[in-house]
Amino acid sequence: MTTPPDSFSDQLPPERFKGPVVLRRSEMSRRTSDQRLLDQRPEAPGDFTRTDPWRVLRIQAEFVEGFDALATLGPAISVFGSARTPPEHPEYRTAREIGRALGRAGYAVVTGGGPGVMEAANRGAVDVGAPSVGIGIELPHEQRLNDWVDLGINFRYFFARKTMFVKYTQGFVVLPGGFGTLDELFEALTLVQTGKVTRFPVILVGTAFWSPLIAWLERTVASDVKIAPDDLELFHVTDSVEQAVSILVEAHAASNSSGA
C-alpha cells in the first residue's frame, strides 16, 4: 500500500521541551523559562504563576527531579562539544570512540543530550553497554534528546542543569565546540581554580582547535597576571582518546587511594 504524500508521518511538527512539557506548532512561540526569569519587564499583574516566588518552587522541583534521577548513577564523565558536528566529521568519530572508551573504563557517559558531539558520545556508550545519560535544556528553537540517550532529563533552567553536570560527574572531556562548550569549560575551570571541586580532571581533545585559545591564555591572560601560571595546569590537552581516559582513571585512582 502506498502512503499518501500528505500522511501525518510526513508532517511531523518540530518540538521543544519546557521541562516535562512538550511544545509543538504555535505553542513553540512561548518564551523559555530562563527568558522569563531573567527578563526585567513586568509580568501580568495578579498572575502568581509568573512571579519569582512561584518560580522558586519550580526551580526546587528541578533540583529534586535531577537529584532523584542521578543519585545512583555511579562513576561518570561529562563529554561536551558542538551540537553542529555532523556524523561524517572526524570529531564525531572521536567523540563516539571516547564514549566507548569511557564505558569500557567503567564510567557512565553524560552529555547535554543534543546532536553532534553529544550524540556521538552517547552512541559510543551504548555501543559498549555503558550508561548513557542526556541532560537537556529548554531552548527557544526546536530541540530533543538524541536517540542514544537511555536516561534523559530535560531542564528549564540552565543553572539547575549545570549543577547536575558537576555534582554527578567526576571530570569533563571537552571536544571542539561553540559558546555552550566554552561556557561549560570555563565554569569547570573556575570551580577547580577556586577549590569548589577538587581532583576534577578537565581534558581538552583536539590540539589544533584548542592551541590558539591556550596561547592566548598564556601570552595575554597569564602574562598580564589575570590568572596564575599554575592555573594553566588545571587542564590537559591531547589528541589521544587513550590518553584522555588514562588521565581520568589515574586521577580517580589517586583520589581514592588518598581517601579524599
Side-chain angles (χ1 to χ4, degrees):
M1 179 178 177
T2 303
T3 303
D6 60 348
S7 67
F8 180 77
S9 62
D10 292 333
Q11 302 179 34
L12 294 176
E15 64 183 30
R16 68 178 177 87
F17 288 86
K18 289 173 66 69
V21 179
V22 180
L23 302 178
R24 294 174 177 157
R25 302 182 183 87
S26 62
E27 292 296 318
M28 284 187 62
S29 62
R30 292 190 186 190
R31 289 192 297 161
T32 69
S33 300
D34 271 327
Q35 285 174 326
R36 291 205 308 270
L37 174 66
L38 300 174
D39 198 336
Q40 297 300 311
R41 291 175 295 179
E43 300 283 2
D47 186 355
F48 177 70
T49 65
R50 298 293 186 266
T51 63
D52 288 340
W54 171 259
R55 291 190 182 108
V56 168
L57 298 178
R58 193 175 269 165
I59 292 165
Q60 175 181 291
E62 290 217 324
F63 279 109
V64 171
E65 290 290 343
F67 293 161
D68 183 60
L70 299 173
T72 59
L73 182 60
I77 300 296
S78 290
V79 180
F80 295 102
S82 177
R84 304 184 186 192
T85 303
E88 63 273 14
H89 197 287
E91 290 166 6
Y92 186 101
R93 294 193 292 273
T94 298
R96 185 173 178 183
E97 184 52 42
I98 286 171
R100 291 171 179 157
L102 289 172
R104 294 189 192 106
Y107 293 107
V109 174
V110 180
T111 77
V117 164
M118 294 174 280
E119 174 187 290
N122 286 129
R123 186 174 180 179
V126 171
D127 287 341
V128 297
S132 175
V133 180
I135 304 178
I137 185 64
E138 177 191 2
L139 297 171
H141 50 77
E142 176 184 0
Q143 106 281 359
R144 58 187 292 277
L145 294 176
N146 70 67
D147 292 334
W148 302 98
V149 168
D150 292 334
L151 171 60
I153 314 168
N154 276 299
F155 283 84
R156 294 173 182 262
Y157 299 102
F158 262 111
F159 54 84
R161 177 193 189 226
K162 287 181 175 183
T163 299
M164 304 303 150
F165 282 124
V166 177
K167 180 171 175 58
Y168 291 106
T169 66
Q170 287 76 52
F172 283 178
V173 175
V174 190
L175 282 85
F179 287 155
T181 302
L182 295 172
D183 174 55
E184 296 292 355
L185 167 61
F186 281 106
E187 182 163 56
L189 292 176
T190 301
L191 291 172
V192 177
Q193 180 198 50
T194 57
K196 298 297 184 182
V197 295
T198 58
R199 296 179 176 84
F200 192 90
V202 178
I203 302 167
L204 309 183
V205 176
T207 55
F209 180 87
W210 295 111
S211 290
L213 175 63
I214 294 167
W216 174 73
L217 291 173
E218 293 173 343
R219 299 170 187 170
T220 302
V221 184
S223 65
D224 202 28
V225 201
K226 298 299 188 291
I227 59 175
D230 58 1
D231 287 336
L232 296 169
E233 300 175 6
L234 298 178
F235 56 86
H236 307 267
V237 190
T238 184
D239 288 315
S240 167
V241 172
E242 293 75 15
Q243 184 181 18
V245 176
S246 176
I247 291 169
L248 292 165
V249 171
E250 290 175 8
H252 298 142
S255 175
N256 292 337
S257 65
S258 69

